[in-house]
């Protein structure tokens, strides 16, 4: 099995660089915010963080490709870094601390591209999560100060905690009825949104989560962390990995029931 220790260490360095840039402008009164063509916001901090990550990758991994939310795709080859400089920009621009930088390394194999390294860094929460293929998933302040993650063992929906992003997305895609049925079947539901539900699935504090519309940069890092914590990460179509344009994550025991309500 390939050794991803060096790539994981690099991903942490990239996250440190991004954290410094994003925290410097968090809650700044003069923060510049624009509206992208898809009507979502982008701040100067989003762009600055991605530019810093790209510059670092050009020096450290010049042969690797890069895909970022703000500046698109660059390069080609079997290895590609996938970056969301600020996942949760709407929270960021309103001063809500639930946002993170998502960094993943994807590698081409027989089954297509798969995430093999992932770091999710949420500096305003003082939290970071990471994983590498075959090495497990962890959370902590640094590589040397970490706790290994494991998903929950909850096996019944009536005992499960379900996290979701919003109601509107499910309604727009004609899946609101299934979504509501799932919420009624679960013990507890909360709308945490963005990266956080996936990290809580990996930690075992939430059992299932799902979102109806996502991009690769929203999912790649989350997917490897959930999987290395012992959970499952698929699209709503049940296809493993972060390529379906939507996501379902679970402790594995509840995944089929999750998909039966939201899939199709």
């Amino acid at each position: 099995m390939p050794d991803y220790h060096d790539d994981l260490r690099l991903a942490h360095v990239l996250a440190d660089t991004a954290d410094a840039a994003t925290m410097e402008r968090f809650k700044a009164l003069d923060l510049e915010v624009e509206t992208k063509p898809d009507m979502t916001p982008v701040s100067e901090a989003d762009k600055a963080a991605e530019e810093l990550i790209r510059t670092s990758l050009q020096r450290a991994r010049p042969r690797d490709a890069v895909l970022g939310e703000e500046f698109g795709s660059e390069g080609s080859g079997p290895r590609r870094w996938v970056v969301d400089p600020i996942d949760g920009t709407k929270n960021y621009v309103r001063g809500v601390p639930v946002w993170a930088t998502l960094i993943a390394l994807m590698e081409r194999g027989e089954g297509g591209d798969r995430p093999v390294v992932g770091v999710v860094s949420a500096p305003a929460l003082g939290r970071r999560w990471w994983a590498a293929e075959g090495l497990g998933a962890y959370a902590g302040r640094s590589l040397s100060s970490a706790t290994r993650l494991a998903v929950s063992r909850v096996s019944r929906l009536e005992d499960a905690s379900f996290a979701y992003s919003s109601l509107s997305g499910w309604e727009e895609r004609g899946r609101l009825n299934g979504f509501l049925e799932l919420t009624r079947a679960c013990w507890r539901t909360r709308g945490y949104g963005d990266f956080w539900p996936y990290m809580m699935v990996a930690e075992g504090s939430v059992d299932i989560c799902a979102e109806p519309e996502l991009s690769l940069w929203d999912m790649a890092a989350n997917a490897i962390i959930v999987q290395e914590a012992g959970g499952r990460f698929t699209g709503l179509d049940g296809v493993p990995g972060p390529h379906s344009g939507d996501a379902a994550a679970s402790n594995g025991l509840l995944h089929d029931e999750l998909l039966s309500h939201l899939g199709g």
Side-chain angles (χ1 to χ4, degrees):
M1 179 176 290
D3 185 342
Y4 295 107
H5 283 92
D6 287 346
D7 294 311
L8 182 58
R9 282 190 285 268
L10 174 58
H12 275 273
V13 172
L14 299 175
D16 290 341
T17 300
D19 286 355
T22 53
M23 286 301 292
E24 182 179 6
R25 300 300 291 156
F26 184 48
K27 295 187 177 181
L29 296 179
D30 60 344
L31 180 71
E32 295 182 8
V33 182
E34 303 172 8
T35 300
K36 293 190 288 188
D38 64 359
M39 301 308 293
T40 60
V42 57
S43 74
E44 63 183 86
D46 291 79
K47 295 179 179 180
E50 186 170 322
E51 286 176 337
L52 287 168
I53 291 171
R54 286 175 177 268
T55 298
S56 296
L57 285 171
Q58 286 171 0
R59 291 196 300 264
R61 297 289 190 275
R63 296 183 179 181
D64 292 352
V66 182
L67 171 66
E69 179 177 10
E70 306 309 333
F71 297 106
S73 184
E74 182 179 2
S76 60
R79 288 165 48 98
R80 178 171 60 162
W81 294 85
V82 180
V83 178
D84 188 343
I86 300 180
D87 182 53
T89 298
K90 292 177 182 178
N91 283 346
Y92 184 89
V93 301
R94 290 297 302 270
V96 178
V98 184
W99 50 271
T101 296
L102 278 52
I103 301 169
L105 171 62
M106 301 192 70
E107 196 166 81
R108 190 169 303 151
E110 292 182 2
D113 290 357
R114 72 190 191 284
V116 294
V117 169
V119 172
V120 172
S121 190
L125 295 176
R127 300 292 308 280
R128 183 177 291 185
W129 302 261
W130 63 89
E133 187 175 81
L135 300 179
Y138 297 84
R141 296 281 184 174
S142 66
L143 281 166
S144 60
S145 177
T147 300
R148 187 156 188 170
L149 304 180
V151 296
S152 74
R153 301 303 298 168
V154 173
S155 59
R156 303 192 311 164
L157 275 182
E158 53 263 43
D159 299 324
S161 179
F162 169 45
Y164 61 94
S165 54
S166 68
L167 289 173
S168 59
W170 299 104
E171 185 173 25
E172 290 167 4
R173 283 150 193 83
R175 297 182 177 181
L176 184 60
N177 288 339
F179 172 84
L180 293 175
E181 289 174 3
L182 178 60
T183 65
R184 297 183 188 112
C186 291
W187 165 65
R188 191 168 190 259
T189 62
R190 286 293 183 272
Y192 297 110
D194 300 310
F195 69 94
W196 208 6
Y198 304 97
M199 299 304 98
M200 287 189 280
V201 168
E203 291 177 337
S205 53
V206 164
D207 309 300
I208 55 176
C209 68
E211 290 186 272
E213 184 180 19
L214 295 166
S215 298
L216 182 60
W217 49 75
D218 297 312
M219 297 182 282
N222 295 335
I224 183 66
I225 293 172
V226 169
Q227 290 165 1
E228 285 293 318
R232 284 181 65 187
F233 189 104
T234 73
L236 296 175
D237 54 9
V239 175
H243 297 287
S244 297
D246 45 42
S250 77
N251 63 4
L253 300 173
L254 296 167
H255 207 82
D256 290 342
E257 288 186 90
L258 171 61
L259 294 179
S260 71
H261 282 87
L262 299 180

